[in-house]
Amino acid sequence: MKSANEIMAILASGDFSSLIDESESEVLDAKVQPYWQLGQATESWKFELAKDVSSFANARGGLLLIGFATKKLSDSRNEQMAAVRPFAQADLDIQQYRGVIKQWIEPSIPELDIRWFAQFGSDRGVVAISVPPIGSRGPCLVNRIPDADGKIMGNVVGLFERRGADSTPLTAAQ
């Protein structure tokens, strides 16, 4: 398993295929495409982004990579990166992602880093969201939760933590 620094160096090199076969874990998650395309952000997609970011913050921190398809490993529930799926930079607005994370997560995560990486020899690329652990400032709460219709359900909070390769909801007792 590569460290976060090694993964960021690979991304900076533009040779994304070096990450194929890297397994998702407690500190690494991959998404095949942006949570939403510009202008199509639903409350459900905003919630998914907030849930994934907060789950890393509540654990050891981690990297969320956007632009990598995954496949299930036959011997476990885990997945590994199977293909690079770069997208146009215009398909993801980093400032919009920052805004959603700031609005949907309490307390804020000022050290959060969102970066675009262009693929070598291409105008397409991937995004890495580097989430530091919240530590003693936590827990990191998602302050909005959409119902099945995508409408926000009043003053509800959710607490998520990265466990293995999953963002796990915690109960009030936990």
Side-chain angles (χ1 to χ4, degrees):
M1 178 173 8
K2 293 176 178 55
S3 71
N5 288 338
E6 290 171 320
I7 292 171
M8 293 298 275
I10 290 169
L11 294 173
S13 78
D15 181 21
F16 306 149
S17 62
S18 297
L19 294 173
I20 301 303
D21 295 332
E22 190 71 22
S23 294
E24 290 184 329
S25 67
E26 189 171 288
V27 295
L28 180 65
D29 193 12
K31 304 294 179 189
V32 69
Q33 62 189 14
Y35 285 84
W36 64 85
Q37 301 292 321
L38 289 179
Q40 299 174 3
T42 65
E43 302 305 300
S44 295
W45 284 115
K46 292 176 185 177
F47 169 74
E48 285 298 316
L49 175 62
K51 174 184 65 81
D52 291 344
V53 168
S54 69
S55 71
F56 277 127
N58 285 326
R60 296 183 354 209
L63 286 174
L64 179 57
L65 304 181
I66 304 172
F68 291 89
T70 60
K71 66 180 177 184
K72 281 265 191 223
L73 296 174
S74 60
D75 59 342
S76 73
R77 292 183 26 203
N78 292 343
E79 297 182 16
Q80 70 181 184
M81 288 187 259
V84 180
R85 296 287 186 256
F87 53 91
Q89 189 171 11
D91 287 343
L92 186 148
D93 182 345
I94 288 175
Q95 288 309 109
Q96 186 181 33
Y97 274 48
R98 286 185 196 282
V100 167
I101 291 166
K102 185 176 181 179
Q103 290 173 345
W104 282 63
I105 296 176
E106 296 289 338
S108 65
I109 309 170
E111 303 86 10
L112 182 95
D113 185 25
I114 305 176
R115 288 190 212 176
W116 166 262
F117 294 93
Q119 188 172 33
F120 181 73
S122 172
D123 61 349
R124 300 172 72 76
V126 300
V127 165
I129 302 175
S130 179
V131 183
I134 195 74
S136 63
R137 296 183 301 126
C140 206
L141 301 173
V142 175
N143 61 23
R144 301 166 189 185
I145 298 179
D147 64 16
D149 296 324
K151 295 185 174 111
I152 300 300
M153 301 186 311
N155 295 324
V156 178
V157 296
L159 179 59
F160 301 89
E161 183 176 86
R162 190 78 177 173
R163 293 190 178 164
D166 297 315
S167 294
T168 305
L170 300 178
T171 66
Q174 290 172 313

